[in-house]
Amino acid sequence: MANTSARLEKPTLDKDLEKLTRVEEATHFVSRRLVAPGLGLIFLAIAMIVSGAFVIDGPGAAVIVAAAAVAAYMAMNIGANDVTNNVSPAVGARALSMTAALVIAAICETLGAFFAGGDVISTISAGIVAPSTMPPAVFIWAMMAALLSAAVWINVATWSGAPISTTHAIVGAVMGAGIAAGGAPAVDWPLMAGIAASWVVSPLLGGLVAALFLYAIKETIIYQDDKIAAARRWVPVLVALMAGCFVAYLAVSPLAGILGFGLATDLLIGLVTGIATYAAAVPFVARQSIGLENRNQSLRKLFRIPLIFSAALLSFAHGANDVANAIGPLAAIVHAARSAESGFDAVVPQWVMLIGALGISLGLLLFGPKLIVLVGKEITKLNPMRAYCVALSAAVTVLVASGLGMPVSSTHTAVGAVFGVGFFREWYTRNSRRRLDYIRKRGGMFETESIDERNPDELSRRRLVRRSHFMTITAAWIITVPLTGMVSGLLFTLLQWLFG
């Protein structure tokens, strides 16, 4: 007998409610993706309001307000792309969570930019292009075009997953606008030649230094029979080396204008710091190593605190150095609009510094995690020992380059160090006699290179560095200066035609 109680009507209400629920979920998902851009737009509006409050009664108020918005946009892009290199090693090694890394970096970037960033702004605003070669109005539009060109390219690079040098972006943009405005003689070509040389020097030197430190750690600690005893002996030395190099790095680069010491004095300060750190690290490491098992996993605990400090110090130094990329042109525009003179006023308004400092931190918080994950986890696998080598390489490379008088890019150095660690691991895995003896002594399996050579697919699978990222990042580095230069020149021509 048929079931007479069966429902014959369509459950339209249930279906409609289900559709509404799905629409709400989709709307919620989309709205979450719009939160970061929305907050960014709010920050741009705040930057315009703040700048307007300070310049509304003065000459050139409209162009200064517009420049403040573009500078704020540039600062956020710097935070999204460039800052990630400072904390990526610690995050990739799981010494810091993503949230902790973002908070530490945002605070230290702000402090570095606001309190130590004023001394490096003149190079961007007046060092690349000679302001005396063009009228003030032309100089203003050149700086505006440079800001916009560099900001857009950094935004595109971040979206594409390519960490680039924001310094190279703004330098190329200022160069292109300068050529369009004042001709080739307006550009300081020896400075540009040094910057071009750093394309090659920075990543190679960073990778080499990181590989050398990783080699030392593997030989003296990781492939020793008693890892913990070796760590008690060598980790204090490594921590002291990191502390000394970072203090000297801060004195040489971001704090040079404040401290005013020479390179020899800066190195002496670093040496004293290293000795004091070693004296404190010996008992600390001894306490930390009590009860640790004789395996590689135990060593990670000993490198965690140095990695946290390295992320903080690198972020402070980056904020002090690279805030100029955003507010250098803005400071030059403010000076030119107010005084009707092309150039740069050594006294940077506090509201200009504030826009740069907060913009970098906000960009990091809103858009930084994407490249943090890429650099810290997707190029090659990092553990605390490898991440330590990457962080230390950044400080050592800047010190070496400063001593030799070579300009280097912190981004190229850090990313080059990550690649250097990965490529070194590939070489060491196949060629280290110590590693082979260590594995055989413990009865482990060791696959010879000939096995991989007979199986190309297996060889490709076992590569420790992702080649696709290597090609993408290298291509982005190569085209940054010429691309931003050409776009900036075109933008300047357009701005001159519309408003000149």
Side-chain angles (χ1 to χ4, degrees):
M1 180 175 165
N3 184 5
T4 56
S5 62
R7 295 177 58 186
L8 299 178
E9 72 276 13
K10 290 184 178 181
T12 55
L13 179 60
D14 293 341
K15 289 186 176 181
D16 289 343
L17 288 176
E18 184 179 355
K19 291 177 181 178
L20 287 172
T21 301
R22 291 179 179 176
V23 170
E24 289 175 353
E25 291 175 353
T27 303
H28 179 65
F29 177 76
V30 172
S31 64
R32 282 192 303 173
R33 300 184 63 180
L34 296 176
V35 168
L39 291 175
L41 289 174
I42 292 173
F43 177 70
L44 297 188
I46 292 175
M48 295 175 70
I49 294 171
V50 169
S51 61
F54 283 94
V55 303
I56 193 65
D57 295 329
V63 72
I64 292 176
V65 170
V70 180
Y73 173 55
M74 175 67 169
M76 285 195 294
N77 282 299
I78 292 173
N81 189 290
D82 218 9
V83 181
T84 59
N85 306 310
N86 306 324
V87 297
S88 293
V91 173
R94 289 182 279 186
L96 278 174
S97 66
M98 179 67 75
T99 301
L102 291 174
V103 171
I104 290 174
I107 293 173
C108 293
E109 287 280 343
T110 302
L111 293 175
F114 195 74
F115 292 107
D119 296 296
V120 293
I121 292 175
S122 59
T123 300
I124 298 297
S125 58
I128 300 167
V129 172
S132 58
T133 60
M134 61 192 75
V138 175
F139 183 75
I140 287 173
W141 293 121
M143 291 294 105
M144 186 80 82
L147 264 179
L148 189 57
S149 171
V152 170
W153 169 236
I154 298 169
N155 196 340
V156 171
T158 304
W159 176 79
S160 303
I164 63 171
S165 170
T166 58
T167 301
H168 287 180
I170 191 64
V171 164
V174 171
M175 178 195 70
I179 292 174
V187 177
D188 185 344
W189 291 109
L191 177 62
M192 289 303 303
I195 292 170
S198 75
W199 292 350
V200 179
V201 173
S202 297
L204 290 182
L205 192 56
L208 177 62
V209 171
L212 288 175
F213 279 116
L214 184 57
Y215 175 79
I217 290 175
K218 285 180 177 292
E219 293 288 304
T220 59
I221 300 177
I222 294 177
Y223 290 118
Q224 293 292 323
D225 292 332
D226 190 343
K227 302 175 190 293
I228 304 305
R232 291 194 188 105
R233 183 167 56 253
W234 287 108
V235 170
V237 176
L238 294 172
V239 173
L241 182 62
M242 171 176 274
C245 286
F246 268 115
V247 169
Y249 164 66
L250 292 174
V252 166
S253 187
L255 299 179
I258 297 176
L259 299 179
F261 301 140
L263 180 61
T265 304
D266 295 334
L267 294 177
L268 180 61
I269 294 173
L271 178 62
V272 172
T273 302
I275 294 173
T277 303
Y278 177 79
V282 170
F284 178 79
V285 171
R287 289 195 303 270
Q288 290 283 97
S289 62
I290 295 175
L292 295 181
E293 298 180 20
N294 187 35
R295 59 195 189 108
N296 290 344
Q297 292 283 359
S298 301
L299 300 176
R300 299 184 177 190
K301 179 180 180 182
L302 304 178
F303 284 88
R304 184 172 182 269
I305 293 179
L307 281 175
I308 294 174
F309 277 101
S310 73
L313 292 174
L314 282 173
S315 296
F316 179 89
H318 178 272
N321 280 324
D322 283 19
V323 69
N325 298 337
I327 65 174
L330 174 59
I333 289 172
V334 171
H335 174 71
R338 283 183 166 180
S339 63
E341 296 178 358
S342 301
F344 169 71
D345 188 356
V347 180
V348 181
Q350 290 296 306
W351 64 266
V352 173
M353 296 294 298
L354 191 62
I355 287 176
L358 295 182
I360 289 177
S361 299
L362 185 63
L364 169 67
L365 292 172
L366 296 179
F367 307 105
K370 178 179 180 178
L371 287 189
I372 290 177
V373 171
L374 186 145
V375 176
K377 298 182 178 180
E378 295 182 1
I379 293 176
T380 191
K381 185 177 180 180
L382 294 178
N383 61 22
M385 288 77 79
R386 299 167 200 154
Y388 162 87
C389 296
V390 172
L392 182 57
S393 173
V396 172
T397 299
V398 170
L399 287 177
V400 172
S402 298
L404 298 176
M406 297 185 303
V408 293
S409 163
S410 60
T411 300
H412 289 193
T413 301
V415 177
V418 174
F419 280 114
V421 164
F423 285 126
F424 170 76
R425 289 178 61 215
E426 289 186 358
W427 176 87
Y428 191 86
T429 299
R430 299 178 186 281
N431 298 282
S432 171
R433 177 61 56 182
R434 179 181 291 276
R435 177 178 178 274
L436 173 59
D437 294 340
Y438 179 87
I439 294 175
R440 283 175 174 167
K441 187 183 297 184
R442 280 156 178 73
M445 298 295 294
F446 186 84
E447 299 181 10
T448 63
E449 186 176 355
S450 61
I451 295 176
D452 288 335
E453 287 178 346
R454 291 197 300 267
N455 189 345
D457 293 335
E458 184 68 9
L459 175 62
S460 177
R461 187 180 70 83
R462 290 179 179 273
R463 285 176 174 172
L464 302 178
V465 178
R466 186 170 293 181
R467 264 58 175 180
S468 60
H469 287 328
F470 177 79
M471 299 304 297
T472 300
I473 292 171
T474 301
W477 287 355
I478 293 173
I479 67 174
T480 290
V481 169
L483 180 64
T484 55
M486 288 188 294
V487 173
S488 180
L490 293 174
L491 281 175
F492 168 78
T493 303
L494 179 62
L495 291 173
Q496 273 286 89
W497 180 70
L498 291 175
F499 306 107

